[in-house]
Amino acid sequence: MVMTNPEIGSTGRKLTRHIFVTGGVVSSLGKGLTCASLAMLLEQHGLVVAMQKMDPYINVDPGTMNPFEHGEVYVTDDGAETDLDLGHYERFSHAKITRHSNYTTGQIYDSVIKKERRGDYLGKCIQVIPHITGEIKDAIKRARNDADVVITEIGGTIGDIESLPFIEAIRQFGLEEGRKNCLYIHLTLLTYIKAAGELKTKPTQQSVGKLREIGIIPDILICRTEVPMSDDIRNKVSLFCGVEPAAVIEEQDVEHSIYQVPLMLHDQGLDSQVIEKLGLKARRTPDFTQWKKMIDACVHPDTEVEIAVVGKYMKLTDAYKSIYESLAHGGIANRARVKIRRVSTDDIDPAHPEKLLTGVDGVLVPGGFGNRGVEGKIAAATWAAKNGIPYFGICLGMQCATIMAARELAGLPAADSREFSETCAPVIEMMEEQKKISGMGGTMRLGSYPCRLTPGSLAAEAYGTDVVNERHRHRYEFNNDYRKQLEAAGLRVTGIWEPAKLAEIVELEGHPWFVGVQFHPEFKSKPTEPHPLFAAFVAAAGRKRAGTLVVPAKVGA
């Protein structure tokens, strides 16, 4: 008798199960957050999880999109510019996120068209079915690696014309891989009519009906709701949508933090149902001790600090999603509630930044592109420098700090970035390799690079090590032609990429906490593992609030 291993498929590879998550009724229900929460729960059972987002828009990637259109662009270690939902994936789980974790309609069609031009299809007529759907299925398989489970989020809303090829592809996928190896979760909205005090199920029924018309019957329904769902409502949804009552999961708005969502879903048995329905074997008993301690620090902080985030895209919260989350993580590390003062650079008077900044315990200037609002960012850096306020500059925020130091301390009133002026003293210059590039999409310095830290620097103290790896997204860099002059004036380079002596971190001497980084540390912060620089920045802000931050003589006074 030949013994078979249920974890090995017919091809001899490890048998990976697939979970597909769709959304209905309205957009912005939180599919990404739900997927991330499920991944965290499955990892608690000892399972290896991979994650993936399929985006229906025709852009090849979000790298060239206006942040007001799409929100932040999330960068992976391998240099992919991706959807911000991948930030949720990494913050909640330990899934390895790569360029195969995000595909768009643009990428799928681009790949198919290139194959057609090469003659790969042997003269066949190229169609949505089977060629586009086949390419989507291949993309899903690329996310597997050695994972036990792949969670694939389908962007958009059921009924959108743009997402139809993806929905058809995952329908076919279930047939080809075996229905018992695939699970379909549909996230929907129970509409609350406040005047009547009632939850309405009809939109959910219609959304599931639309999904069933396409050929997908959801195994689990997760219902977003403002108010608790009664047993009567649960049974009604079950009856009309053809899903067993236990598989109708309530996802109510949380009171304090999004990090409460996984525990809420666990309490209703979502993870247990997924494991049972997919025939998986849990390798350990979940232990939420660390997660609960983190939530306790969120809900019951010992102190509060106020941080001014001075940016160009303040009208859309998602434009700086990872920044805000990382500040919250820094607060968790210090048991401090971080109150954010959102300051638009368009509103800052460069001559009087104090009008909008007075009273804050720290200033953070995030990245951005283009010259709109740059003088406001430089003014914020100048104000923080002169008043001994903790300052954290990220990417363009680091470059603005460099321009500030050049103008205020190094006697270079014409200092600027080559991005904004061709006739300036270019303390920020375009990288040499970027000068040969004409295209916009995917051509910046992207992904993870090592940075060597200067011993005794604020950065080295925060990290507790000599070399770190951080993610980048930029075309312009600190101009080493001005390094000696700037360091003599008090702006020290305390972190470099050694192959090109590229300045990665600058610090202002004589200031209690003034740090600028060329990279994006917000992409590597988790609630249970706050990024060291965000933790150190919030700690400095806490000392400022408590009156224990040593403030030197005003810089440049």
Side-chain angles (χ1 to χ4, degrees):
M1 178 177 176
V2 179
M3 298 295 291
T4 60
N5 185 344
E7 296 304 305
I8 302 297
S10 59
T11 61
R13 65 165 176 82
K14 179 179 180 179
L15 182 58
T16 299
R17 274 72 163 195
H18 288 265
I19 300 171
F20 298 104
V21 181
T22 56
V25 183
V26 295
S27 59
S28 301
L29 280 180
K31 291 193 301 295
L33 181 57
T34 301
C35 290
S37 298
L38 177 57
M40 176 269 191
L41 293 175
L42 295 178
E43 286 184 346
Q44 281 289 323
H45 288 273
L47 298 171
V48 179
V49 180
M51 303 199 70
Q52 188 179 56
K53 171 83 181 286
M54 296 292 182
D55 277 307
Y57 51 74
I58 298 176
N59 303 65
V60 173
D61 60 43
T64 58
M65 283 195 207
N66 189 317
F68 287 128
E69 287 279 332
H70 183 267
E72 78 174 4
V73 175
Y74 191 83
V75 179
T76 61
D77 274 343
D78 61 352
E81 294 176 292
T82 69
D83 186 82
L84 61 84
D85 273 335
L86 274 68
H88 285 312
Y89 301 168
E90 287 205 310
R91 284 188 285 272
F92 279 70
S93 77
H94 291 88
K96 183 175 175 58
I97 301 300
T98 70
R99 61 180 60 255
H100 297 307
S101 301
N102 192 202
Y103 283 91
T104 69
T105 294
Q107 283 176 276
I108 296 297
Y109 272 80
D110 184 53
S111 178
V112 169
I113 290 168
K114 285 178 179 176
K115 288 179 180 180
E116 186 273 332
R117 292 289 84 186
R118 290 197 305 265
D120 291 5
Y121 297 114
L122 302 177
K124 288 185 177 296
C125 176
I126 309 306
Q127 298 175 295
V128 173
I129 302 171
H131 301 99
I132 296 300
T133 54
E135 190 70 23
I136 292 169
K137 288 182 288 185
D138 288 343
I140 292 169
K141 293 173 185 176
R142 292 186 198 111
R144 282 172 171 164
N145 292 321
D146 292 322
D148 297 303
V149 181
V150 177
I151 301 174
T152 300
E153 174 190 352
I154 306 300
T157 306
I158 293 300
D160 291 347
I161 192 170
E162 294 93 342
S163 60
L164 281 175
F166 292 97
I167 303 301
E168 170 60 20
I170 65 173
R171 183 195 68 80
Q172 296 175 14
F173 201 92
L175 291 174
E176 295 167 9
E177 293 291 314
R179 190 62 182 82
K180 64 182 182 299
N181 298 319
C182 295
L183 186 80
Y184 298 97
I185 297 177
H186 190 54
L187 181 68
T188 182
L189 176 69
L190 294 180
T191 309
Y192 179 63
I193 308 299
K194 191 173 182 180
E198 291 182 43
L199 279 174
K200 294 297 183 180
T201 66
K202 190 63 69 178
T204 289
Q205 295 176 40
Q206 292 176 337
S207 179
V208 172
K210 197 75 175 173
L211 195 59
R212 294 175 72 170
E213 285 176 14
I214 300 168
I216 294 175
I217 300 174
D219 300 288
I220 295 174
L221 281 181
I222 299 179
C223 301
R224 283 296 310 276
T225 172
E226 296 179 49
V227 298
M229 180 170 60
S230 67
D231 287 340
D232 286 344
I233 292 292
R234 187 187 304 274
N235 291 331
K236 184 176 181 180
V237 170
S238 170
L239 177 64
F240 282 90
C241 297
V243 178
E244 57 188 345
V248 179
I249 306 292
E250 174 187 291
E251 189 174 283
Q252 191 178 347
D253 295 348
V254 291
E255 183 178 359
H256 298 288
S257 168
I258 58 173
Y259 300 118
Q260 294 175 293
V261 172
L263 299 183
M264 176 175 61
L265 296 176
H266 171 73
D267 289 343
Q268 297 178 75
L270 174 63
D271 44 330
S272 299
Q273 288 198 54
V274 167
I275 288 171
E276 179 184 350
K277 289 176 184 295
L278 286 175
L280 292 162
K281 292 183 179 179
R283 299 189 179 104
R284 65 168 184 255
T285 302
D287 180 2
F288 298 108
T289 303
Q290 185 184 15
W291 197 265
K292 288 179 178 178
K293 284 182 178 178
M294 175 270 292
I295 292 174
D296 183 68
C298 285
V299 178
H300 303 108
D302 295 331
T303 186
E304 180 179 277
V305 298
E306 185 175 12
I307 304 295
V309 176
V310 183
K312 299 173 60 171
Y313 315 114
M314 305 312 294
K315 292 179 181 178
L316 183 66
T317 300
D318 280 350
Y320 298 115
K321 185 65 177 177
S322 291
I323 293 286
Y324 297 144
E325 290 300 315
S326 297
L327 283 171
H329 302 165
I332 290 167
N334 293 279
R335 290 199 73 92
R337 175 178 288 110
V338 178
K339 180 181 178 182
I340 294 174
R341 184 185 299 186
R342 293 174 172 84
V343 179
S344 173
T345 52
D346 293 335
D347 297 333
I348 288 184
D349 178 355
H352 297 285
E354 72 280 358
K355 290 180 180 179
L356 296 179
L357 299 176
T358 296
V360 300
D361 305 304
V363 174
L364 188 150
V365 176
F369 297 92
N371 61 3
R372 181 179 63 82
V374 165
E375 289 302 323
K377 292 190 174 192
I378 295 170
T382 304
W383 180 83
K386 290 186 175 182
N387 291 278
I389 306 297
Y391 176 87
F392 194 9
I394 295 175
C395 198
L396 181 57
M398 174 265 207
Q399 296 175 4
C400 288
T402 301
I403 294 168
M404 177 280 299
R407 293 177 182 178
E408 299 290 329
L409 305 176
L412 293 168
D416 212 328
S417 168
R418 189 75 78 181
E419 181 180 4
F420 314 130
S421 172
E422 287 295 327
T423 59
C424 64
V427 292
I428 303 298
E429 180 61 274
M430 179 176 277
M431 303 178 72
E432 279 302 316
E433 59 267 31
Q434 289 292 319
K435 294 177 182 177
K436 306 168 188 176
I437 295 172
S438 58
M440 292 288 289
T443 58
M444 286 185 276
R445 183 177 184 241
L446 294 164
S448 182
Y449 290 85
C451 171
R452 179 166 293 279
L453 309 177
T454 300
S457 63
L458 290 170
E461 180 183 339
Y463 280 106
T465 188
D466 297 329
V467 178
V468 296
N469 288 277
E470 295 285 1
R471 300 177 190 178
H472 297 70
R473 184 174 182 252
H474 64 107
R475 297 186 193 278
Y476 293 82
E477 64 179 351
F478 182 102
N479 188 346
N480 278 327
D481 291 344
Y482 291 89
R483 179 170 173 177
K484 286 185 179 179
Q485 188 173 353
L486 287 166
E487 290 198 313
L491 189 74
R492 297 175 59 213
V493 174
T494 61
I496 63 167
W497 181 51
E498 292 182 296
K501 303 298 180 186
L502 173 64
E504 294 273 13
I505 305 175
V506 296
E507 298 179 15
L508 193 59
E509 288 183 332
H511 191 285
W513 210 94
F514 191 103
V515 177
V517 298
Q518 183 58 72
F519 47 82
H520 287 270
E522 69 271 25
F523 296 149
K524 298 190 74 171
S525 187
K526 299 176 184 287
T528 52
E529 301 168 26
H531 192 283
L533 290 178
F534 278 93
F537 174 55
V538 173
R543 295 194 297 275
K544 163 65 174 60
R545 169 65 66 98
T548 58
L549 186 68
V550 178
V551 181
K554 291 184 179 180
V555 179

